[in-house]
Amino acid sequence: MREDNRNLIVAIALSLAILLGWQYFFAAPQAERQRQAAQQAQSTQVNPTAPNPPASPSQAGGASPTVPGTVPNTPAVPTVQTREAALASSPRVGIDTPALAGSINLRGGRIDDVALKNYRETVDPRSPNIVLLSPTGTQNPYYAEFGWVGAQAGSLPNQNTVWTADKTSLTPGSPVTLTWQNEQGLVFRRTVSVDDKYMFTVKDAVENRGSAPVTLQSYSLVSRHGRPVTLGYYVLHEGMIGVLGDEGLQEITYANLDKADPISGSNTVGELWNSVTGGFLGITDKYWAAAVIPDQTQPFQGSFTSQQGQTADRTYQATVAGTPQTLQPGATTEVTQRLFAGAKEVATVDAYHSTLNIKNFDLLIDWGWFYFITKPLFKVLDFFFHLFGNFGVAILLVTVLLKILFFPLANKSYASMAKMKAVQPEMTSIRERYADDKMKQQQALMELYRKEKINPVAGCWPVLIQIPVFFALYKVLFVTIEMRHAPFFGWIRDLAAPDPTSIFNLFGLLPYNPGAVPVIGHFLLLGVWPILMGITMWLQMKMNPEPPDPVQKQVFAWMPVIFTFMLGSFPAGLVIYWAWNNLLSVSQQAFIMRRNGVKIELWDNLRKTFSRKTSPAKG
């Protein structure tokens, strides 16, 4: 018994260690990163007092493009302005589409002001719209730029160039043309058009009205100043992303880019790919992205760079450089490139991938290694969502379909488990008969299994089947924007966020936030659905006879508690799936056991659990 007690203590200690480790390394850092991300997002909406008069983009940290083969200019120390002040400091052309609002900066020709009309910071419909791109001069500039570089071509358009526009507003049916001419007779025309979603098309044309040939190289880039707060999950990539021809998908985090080798200049590091064809380069967040897309038929040079300026913030840049071309006097050349700036909606991204023939553009969404499971699972969920208008209902229906799909395998598994229950007395007899000879005991048990056609590991199959589906659904809930702020019923207003209730404040009846309690606050965020999930998991375990080994018995008793706390910080949609799946599994197992004539242990086990244990009579 001392050995059993020691094993029991070790099992309980390991269970608590798992729970504490989960909370410390996952739940607590997740909550802190989400809090920081929310604060950073809010800071882009708040209007701090500008300490100095509005500065020009060059004074506000507007660096020249980091095109491979050139040395970038070191930006001046920036002066932080309000967003309104930065936008008002230069002439602009408005952007107005069903999905986007913003403007193009005529000083520099940058697309540096984009907000998403259909997405807000929180589930509150009165909260601010998501701001994706911001001009230089603000707290965290983030913009797209197009242009030309070349030697002996005179002055070329840069961040200080003031373009002339033929319209005051860019809409899906009304492109805008920007023009500018340098002192050597080069006339630059940039025609910008936009669709009703998130794709800009930029046609840059140059006419040589001078007397000498010039060599020019087109470029496009996305630049982000300062490293944003990221969630830091292994299952989610945030940072630099691109598909570079046959080199395939490239995903580089901000931290890894900072450690890269130098490309050009003493303070610029990064990764460089030469002469690739097809793909895109950009910067991705969890739900949003900005990416430049070159001509899919022409070779280009791609790079991701990180540059340290005169402040603590670094500038991260994804750049496409075209093939240099010589422009003879009287000749004109034109390059067409695109910019995606918006929400990573699955249908929208897939449509761009197919209609514009952008190589692997669907990989802009991080489907992960289980792409072949994750994306089809989303497609099925999305189908039911459009039928019933609720992603929570879609999750319930997909769970039922998965149960039907895997019913033959689960049927064999549960049938084998039922046979094991039927021969339980004989197994107990064998263990008692060969208690001192483990080898003979195992041989006798295996002979019994062969005789009764029992697979002793069959009970693992339902769990093994559930693991990839669980992970795929977790990925879908975590990375797809369609799940963001998707309500279920009642208090669940966001299936991609944890259950907001907590048993430790009586589910909102007491006016305090348990999560704010020092040290143990993360343990106290235990909502209704995680508790229901724990109860269904406990019921599922009570379907089977209690293990004879006291250590196993205690481990199984603690598992629902551990999983309840672990899943308390998971997306509510995932917890709803797990609880519903457990309930279906209990029903399925009961049906199969009854059909095989095996006693269902659930009611006896529940009676044992809740019956009052009486002490032996004294005397």
Side-chain angles (χ1 to χ4, degrees):
M1 290 300 294
R2 288 183 179 179
E3 183 71 17
D4 289 341
N5 290 336
R6 190 186 70 177
N7 292 340
L8 174 58
I9 293 173
V10 171
I12 294 174
L14 288 174
S15 300
L16 291 175
I18 292 172
L19 177 59
L20 290 170
W22 178 266
Q23 292 290 334
Y24 181 79
F25 291 107
F26 182 84
Q30 171 188 355
E32 178 62 19
R33 284 190 291 264
Q34 289 177 339
R35 184 187 65 80
Q36 293 178 2
Q39 287 182 346
Q40 185 183 66
Q42 187 178 11
S43 69
T44 64
Q45 306 292 339
V46 177
N47 299 329
T49 302
N52 294 304
S56 68
S58 61
Q59 294 171 326
S64 296
T66 306
V67 178
T70 66
V71 179
N73 295 333
T74 301
V77 178
T79 300
V80 177
Q81 310 172 56
T82 66
R83 181 177 176 81
E84 288 74 14
L87 294 174
S89 66
S90 58
R92 292 183 170 271
V93 170
I95 298 172
D96 186 14
T97 79
L100 301 176
S103 59
I104 300 173
N105 193 344
L106 291 181
R107 182 179 285 121
R110 290 173 173 171
I111 300 176
D112 62 359
D113 173 28
V114 170
L116 310 183
K117 289 183 176 180
N118 301 323
Y119 295 95
R120 297 186 178 273
E121 294 288 349
T122 69
V123 293
D124 186 347
R126 296 167 298 180
S127 64
N129 289 99
I130 293 292
V131 172
L132 181 61
L133 302 183
S134 296
T136 55
T138 55
Q139 182 69 39
N140 296 110
Y142 188 11
Y143 52 83
E145 183 174 298
F146 300 82
W148 304 85
V149 293
Q152 300 177 346
S155 59
L156 298 176
N158 59 29
Q159 70 270 17
N160 293 317
T161 300
V162 179
W163 295 72
T164 301
D166 65 342
K167 293 184 179 69
T168 58
S169 181
L170 170 65
T171 63
S174 180
V176 170
T177 299
L178 314 181
T179 57
W180 182 79
Q181 181 173 345
N182 74 357
E183 70 283 357
Q184 288 189 237
L186 295 180
V187 180
F188 297 87
R189 291 187 180 86
R190 175 172 301 162
T191 301
V192 183
S193 57
V194 65
D195 63 10
D196 59 353
K197 285 292 189 178
Y198 311 114
M199 189 67 75
F200 295 85
T201 301
V202 180
K203 294 182 179 180
D204 265 321
V206 183
E207 179 185 359
N208 185 1
R209 295 180 181 178
S211 58
V214 295
T215 300
L216 297 173
Q217 182 182 20
S218 64
Y219 74 86
S220 59
L221 61 85
V222 172
S223 184
R224 187 174 209 166
H225 296 216
R227 186 193 295 189
V229 176
T230 59
L231 297 177
Y233 291 136
Y234 177 74
V235 297
L236 173 70
H237 172 68
E238 296 172 279
M240 318 305 286
I241 188 171
V243 170
L244 293 110
D246 294 336
E247 298 294 329
L249 178 67
Q250 306 296 325
E251 295 177 325
I252 305 176
T253 64
Y254 296 104
N256 286 340
L257 188 60
D258 290 341
K259 301 173 186 175
D261 296 327
I263 284 185
S264 61
S266 60
N267 61 356
T268 301
V269 296
E271 299 288 343
L272 175 65
W273 292 265
N274 286 304
S275 192
V276 294
T277 303
F280 64 94
L281 287 90
I283 303 175
T284 182
D285 298 315
K286 181 177 181 179
Y287 295 123
W288 337 106
V292 286
I293 303 159
D295 187 328
Q296 298 295 290
T297 64
Q298 299 298 317
F300 66 90
Q301 187 181 68
S303 67
F304 296 127
T305 57
S306 171
Q307 177 184 344
Q308 182 66 61
Q310 296 181 9
T311 66
D313 291 337
R314 298 184 71 88
T315 297
Y316 300 93
Q317 199 159 285
T319 306
V320 169
T323 303
Q325 50 187 306
T326 300
L327 188 62
Q328 299 295 333
T332 299
T333 187
E334 183 178 273
V335 174
T336 299
Q337 301 179 89
R338 290 186 169 89
L339 167 69
F340 174 89
K344 297 190 295 185
E345 300 164 351
V346 176
T348 301
V349 171
D350 284 353
Y352 289 141
H353 168 64
S354 58
T355 59
L356 300 179
N357 295 316
I358 305 172
K359 186 178 180 68
N360 295 134
F361 193 63
D362 57 327
L363 298 183
L364 185 66
I365 299 172
D366 185 11
W367 295 110
W369 293 345
F370 291 96
Y371 181 101
F372 59 95
I373 299 177
T374 311
K375 192 168 184 180
L377 180 61
F378 169 81
K379 294 288 189 180
V380 177
L381 285 168
D382 193 53
F383 171 78
F384 283 116
F385 167 72
H386 284 92
L387 278 181
F388 297 99
N390 189 299
F391 266 114
V393 173
I395 290 173
L396 300 182
L397 291 173
V398 168
T399 308
V400 173
L401 288 181
L402 290 171
K403 281 292 180 185
I404 295 173
L405 178 65
F406 292 115
F407 181 81
L409 186 58
N411 183 50
K412 290 182 180 180
S413 174
Y414 287 131
S416 183
M417 291 171 63
K419 290 180 181 179
M420 287 193 70
K421 292 188 180 83
V423 298
Q424 193 73 33
E426 194 169 348
M427 293 170 62
T428 302
S429 175
I430 290 173
R431 290 192 179 98
E432 291 175 352
R433 192 184 318 147
Y434 301 108
D436 297 328
D437 192 336
K438 299 297 182 183
M439 181 67 72
K440 287 186 177 180
Q441 183 184 114
Q442 289 300 318
Q443 289 175 349
L445 287 173
M446 293 306 295
E447 180 62 30
L448 177 64
Y449 294 153
R450 282 193 293 269
K451 176 184 174 183
E452 300 294 337
K453 297 181 180 180
I454 295 173
N455 182 359
V457 297
C460 299
W461 284 113
V463 177
L464 293 177
I465 292 171
Q466 189 170 325
I467 288 175
V469 176
F470 176 85
F471 182 81
L473 183 59
Y474 174 67
K475 188 81 171 177
V476 168
L477 285 165
F478 200 74
V479 306
T480 57
I481 194 170
E482 287 78 2
M483 296 293 180
R484 180 182 185 265
H485 297 173
F488 185 44
F489 296 113
W491 63 94
I492 301 297
R493 300 176 63 193
D494 186 356
L495 287 167
D499 188 323
T501 60
S502 173
I503 191 175
F504 295 101
N505 65 0
L506 300 183
F507 308 111
L509 293 178
L510 300 180
Y512 81 96
N513 178 18
V517 177
V519 183
I520 63 171
H522 296 290
F523 292 95
L524 306 181
L525 297 176
L526 198 60
V528 174
W529 275 105
I531 293 173
L532 291 175
M533 186 283 306
I535 293 172
T536 59
M537 187 175 184
W538 178 72
L539 288 174
Q540 189 175 15
M541 290 188 170
K542 291 297 180 181
M543 289 288 293
N544 304 313
E546 293 183 347
D549 182 23
V551 176
Q552 292 183 12
K553 180 178 177 181
Q554 291 299 324
V555 169
F556 285 140
W558 276 92
M559 279 183 64
V561 177
I562 294 171
F563 272 79
T564 297
F565 278 93
M566 284 177 59
L567 268 69
S569 58
F570 270 66
L574 196 67
V575 182
I576 292 170
Y577 157 76
W578 193 284
W580 177 236
N581 183 75
N582 288 343
L583 194 60
L584 292 177
S585 297
V586 168
S587 303
Q588 184 181 34
Q589 187 174 353
F591 170 75
I592 294 172
M593 291 172 66
R594 186 178 292 110
R595 193 174 66 175
N596 285 270
V598 178
K599 180 182 178 182
I600 299 174
E601 303 285 344
L602 175 62
W603 310 117
D604 288 344
N605 286 337
L606 289 179
R607 276 193 292 270
K608 289 179 184 178
T609 300
F610 292 106
S611 63
R612 180 174 298 179
K613 296 181 180 179
T614 58
S615 303
K618 295 181 181 180

